[in-house]
Amino acid sequence: EPEVTQTPSHQVTQMGQEVILRCVPISNHLYFYWYRQILGQKVEFLVSFYNNEISEKSEIFDDQFSVERPDGSNFTLKIRSTKLEDSAMYFCASNSGVWPQHFGDGTRLSIL
Amino acid sequence: GESVGLHLPTLSVQEGDNSIINCAYSNSASDYFIWYKQESGKGPQFIIDIRSNMDKRQGQRVTVLLNKTVKHLSLQIAATQPGDSAVYFCAVAGGGADGLTFGKGTHLIIQP
């Protein structure tokens, strides 16, 4: 069964550094999403992306965040200047335009 | 906005018994409801979904019930197995929103 794949599985970064999280959505999917889950808390929506532009974003997705589809297969989330509170699991999801969204196994981001 | 709650942090059932996990939502405009299962170290895995034009939907050993009058959603798992041990999240969407709003999750523990 096709899967959403995310790399790396664990990223450790110094506070203030830039980090890029990578995702390869399911190949025929057109809609892409990022969510985050702070340890012990609920999964929170960050942003959705379609047709090479952001279609919706949450309050969490401020100017420090950006997303990009640099080629035909990858979908990335960049955090420009990381803060301690950015430490979380970051999940990528995709779908074909109909529900449900399919999730990857996440990247654990640890900010030191 | 939407909030999703009625959170029972942990539910412990005997192997072979049926389990019911409950969820409440606040926004009457929500029209899509979904249950995910999350195992340790993994991303949310789709179990079953339901749209607001239905009140019941069945899958293999799972049933989702939707009560729009009281804005309540439940997941029933029949004849629980050890592999059902996981955290279960409900999530909702609606009003044209792309992003899912997740509940806090219930940790289902299957006792041998």
Side-chain angles (χ1 to χ4, degrees), chain B residues 32-52:
Chain B
Y32 177 77
F33 309 86
I34 185 169
W35 284 96
Y36 284 97
K37 172 185 181 183
Q38 187 177 27
E39 296 173 298
S40 181
K42 299 278 194 179
Q45 177 188 356
F46 168 72
I47 303 173
I48 192 167
D49 58 2
I50 189 169
R51 294 186 181 275
S52 58

Side-chain angles (χ1 to χ4, degrees), chain A residues 3-4 8-9 12 16 29 35 37 41 46-47 49 52 54 63 67 78 95 104:
Chain A
E3 292 182 339
V4 175
S9 58
V12 182
H29 285 183
Y35 291 78
Q37 185 180 30
Q41 298 188 24
L46 294 178
V47 66
F49 190 87
N52 279 320
I54 290 173
D63 291 344
V67 290
K78 182 193 291 187
N95 67 6

Side-chain angles (χ1 to χ4, degrees), chain A residues 3 7 9 14 18-19 25 34 36-37 39-40 42-43 55 60 63 65-66 68-69 71 80-81 87 94 100 104:
Chain A
E3 292 182 339
T7 55
S9 58
Q14 291 288 330
E18 174 183 286
V19 67
W34 284 101
R36 80 171 184 191
Q37 185 180 30
L39 185 64
K42 59 176 75 175
V43 177
S55 54
I60 304 167
D63 291 344
F65 291 90
S66 62
E68 190 179 27
R69 188 152 165 82
D71 54 44
R80 265 179 267 282
S81 178
S87 293
S94 71

Side-chain angles (χ1 to χ4, degrees), chain B residues 37-106:
Chain B
K37 172 185 181 183
Q38 187 177 27
E39 296 173 298
S40 181
K42 299 278 194 179
Q45 177 188 356
F46 168 72
I47 303 173
I48 192 167
D49 58 2
I50 189 169
R51 294 186 181 275
S52 58
N53 61 350
M54 302 174 69
D55 52 23
K56 180 179 180 178
R57 193 166 185 221
Q58 288 184 285
Q60 187 176 9
R61 288 199 304 116
V62 294
T63 300
V64 55
L65 298 177
L66 175 64
N67 185 330
K68 294 180 289 293
T69 303
V70 295
K71 300 190 189 69
H72 186 270
L73 182 71
S74 67
L75 174 71
Q76 300 177 0
I77 305 174
T80 51
Q81 303 168 356
D84 294 330
S85 290
V87 178
Y88 289 81
F89 293 95
C90 66
V92 306
D98 294 346
L100 290 164
T101 300
F102 279 76
K104 278 191 174 179
T106 294

Side-chain angles (χ1 to χ4, degrees), chain A residues 88-105:
Chain A
M89 285 290 293
Y90 287 81
F91 293 106
C92 174
S94 71
N95 67 6
S96 59
V98 295
W99 300 101
Q101 295 174 9
H102 297 270
F103 284 75
D105 284 338

Side-chain angles (χ1 to χ4, degrees), chain B residues 4 18 22 24 26-27 36 39 63 65 83 98 109 111:
Chain B
V4 179
N18 299 334
N22 295 300
S26 64
N27 189 350
Y36 284 97
E39 296 173 298
T63 300
L65 298 177
D98 294 346
I109 299 170
Q111 303 279 5

